[in-house]
Amino acid sequence: MINFNVPPVVGNEMGYVRQAVEDNRKISGDGPFTKKCEQWMCDRFSTPKVLLTTSGTSALEMAAWLCDIKPGDEVILPSFTFSSTATSFVLAGAKLVFVDVRPDTMNIDESKIEAAITDKTKAIVAVHYAGVACEMDTIMDIAQRYGLRVVEDAAQGVMSTYHGKALGSIGDLGCFSFHETKNYSMGEGGAILINDPQLFERAEIIREKGTNRSRFLRGQVDKYTWVDWGSSYLPSDINAAYLWGQLQCADEINENRLASWDAYKRALQPLADVGVLGIPTSPEGCKHNAHMFYVKAADLGERTALIAFLKERGVQSTFHYVPLHSSPAGLRFGRFSGEDVYTTRESNRLARLPMYYGLKPCDLNTVVEAIHAFYAGRY
Ligand SMILES: *Cc1c(COP(=O)(O)O)cnc(C)c1O
């Protein structure tokens, strides 16, 4: 079976993990490897502050608190996303307002955001699906005009850029995931990029169980105490050590994935050209990170047949996201703004192909040949 994901391993991770355990004798949070990873991300993504978290979900939870979401506030987000994007804001009491996606990128349709804004709206959450950037200039402009916070769910967008800026570094806050299904992994983990300096101190407090311990450790206060509510969002330095190994090889991982992505595109372009298959696009000025390669079949029936056909040939392919607005929790916590023109229709067509660091060209060929075989009899 050609798996649809294989977690990345570059080979240097265990050396760093051993160092954390045996040399540093520091495996709780905020140890040397956590600091290294955070500094690396600040430098690489040109952002003033990064905090490692226990997951992408916890980074999003922190973002919701930092946006000062109160019960009854509204948050605008796409319906085509992972549950974490939504549930993090629901925990803070938000009412979700789902906006349709663009069919070309599956990202929130920036032209439909303004119509969803009410006097209760507090924030816009831009999910960079498949590591392809949302139209951030438009989104930031809307947010500025209405006084809204912007949170980037860049869980899939680590190392992608939008007009030269790293995804996650553009909004007030950006959230990364280092789950093993993402491009860089620490098993379970994530990071929050805090781009608005006014939020630095509160972010540290929320992540340190509501205490000002971070200021204490820097010698800025002479004792630390409970100052606000918060939670425990610090990952173990063992996990950070593992991630450090991967960040050392970030470019290698990125280039390897991009090579697979380009190979898929070359091989499937002919089917796209005759109009039988949709393939992903990356708008002008957006450099993606090959998080995902998906295809779009004609409709739900054809997609179901395609996934089954691939499975028979040893290729694991999966659909993505039952749109949240039609899920049981989505119905309870949110509403769809305007008409669902593309969200349901396009998500029904989408099938993800195997994509991971180290995907072998011969395996990629097997996938591509199976897709060509499926369509050979159909047009
Ligand atoms: C993976 C993912 C998350 C959650 O990240 P975890 O690290 O698994 O908590 C959130 N949003 C999106 C869009 C994701 O793909």
Side-chain angles (χ1 to χ4, degrees), residues 128-344:
H128 303 298
Y129 184 69
V132 175
C134 295
E135 197 39 72
M136 291 308 291
D137 282 346
T138 308
I139 293 173
M140 295 308 288
D141 174 62
I142 295 170
Q144 190 155 33
R145 280 191 284 118
Y146 288 87
L148 308 176
R149 289 284 191 192
V150 173
V151 175
E152 294 178 74
D153 181 342
Q156 304 176 10
V158 182
M159 295 280 280
S160 297
T161 58
Y162 172 80
H163 295 290
K165 290 186 201 149
L167 298 194
S169 74
I170 304 165
D172 298 286
L173 297 152
C175 301
F176 286 167
S177 168
F178 298 117
H179 185 261
E180 69 173 22
T181 52
K182 301 304 199 295
N183 292 25
Y184 308 91
S185 170
M186 52 195 279
E188 299 278 356
I192 181 164
L193 284 65
I194 301 141
N195 307 316
D196 177 354
Q198 290 185 327
L199 300 175
F200 288 179
E201 194 178 337
R202 183 109 198 269
E204 288 180 341
I205 290 167
I206 288 177
R207 181 164 162 278
E208 273 281 18
K209 304 103 185 163
T211 71
N212 58 358
R213 186 163 183 272
S214 300
R215 295 197 69 192
F216 171 72
L217 292 176
R218 284 195 297 266
Q220 294 166 330
V221 286
D222 57 9
K223 57 182 184 302
Y224 82 85
T225 182
W226 183 31
V227 291
D228 201 347
W229 41 254
S231 190
S232 180
Y233 293 122
L234 290 78
S236 163
D237 220 45
I238 297 182
N239 296 64
Y242 193 96
L243 178 65
W244 180 244
Q246 306 230 323
L247 295 182
Q248 299 291 94
C249 303
D251 289 303
E252 183 195 322
I253 292 176
N254 201 38
E255 281 154 26
N256 180 279
R257 296 184 73 111
L258 283 166
S260 295
W261 199 97
D262 292 341
Y264 269 132
K265 184 166 163 84
R266 270 196 306 279
L268 296 172
Q269 188 71 53
L271 290 172
D273 289 342
V274 294
V276 297
L277 190 71
I279 58 174
T281 54
S282 199
E284 186 73 30
C286 302
K287 273 208 189 120
H288 69 88
N289 60 356
H291 174 64
M292 190 191 301
F293 196 96
Y294 60 78
V295 294
K296 283 181 177 172
D299 52 30
L300 180 60
E302 189 180 283
R303 180 190 67 183
T304 308
L306 174 63
I307 290 176
F309 186 90
L310 291 176
K311 192 174 170 201
E312 281 167 25
R313 278 152 191 79
V315 176
Q316 190 187 25
S317 154
T318 64
F319 64 88
H320 218 183
Y321 305 144
V322 173
L324 297 183
H325 73 280
S326 52
S327 69
L331 290 167
R332 256 169 75 201
F333 298 120
R335 63 178 162 83
F336 201 93
S337 165
E339 203 189 329
D340 168 10
V341 183
Y342 295 115
T343 299
T344 300

Side-chain angles (χ1 to χ4, degrees), residues 322-374:
V322 173
L324 297 183
H325 73 280
S326 52
S327 69
L331 290 167
R332 256 169 75 201
F333 298 120
R335 63 178 162 83
F336 201 93
S337 165
E339 203 189 329
D340 168 10
V341 183
Y342 295 115
T343 299
T344 300
R345 194 185 88 186
E346 296 298 303
S347 67
N348 279 338
R349 298 175 56 201
L350 191 145
R352 303 175 64 179
L353 304 183
M355 170 57 84
Y356 47 85
Y357 169 65
L359 174 60
K360 291 199 198 84
C362 59
D363 285 344
L364 190 143
N365 273 337
T366 304
V367 178
V368 163
E369 277 166 19
I371 293 172
H372 278 283
F374 178 80

Side-chain angles (χ1 to χ4, degrees), residues 64-86:
W65 300 128
L66 289 168
C67 288
D68 218 12
I69 300 296
K70 303 242 163 51
D73 289 344
E74 292 182 354
V75 170
I76 291 172
L77 73 167
S79 166
F80 183 72
T81 183
F82 190 54
S83 61
S84 297
T85 320

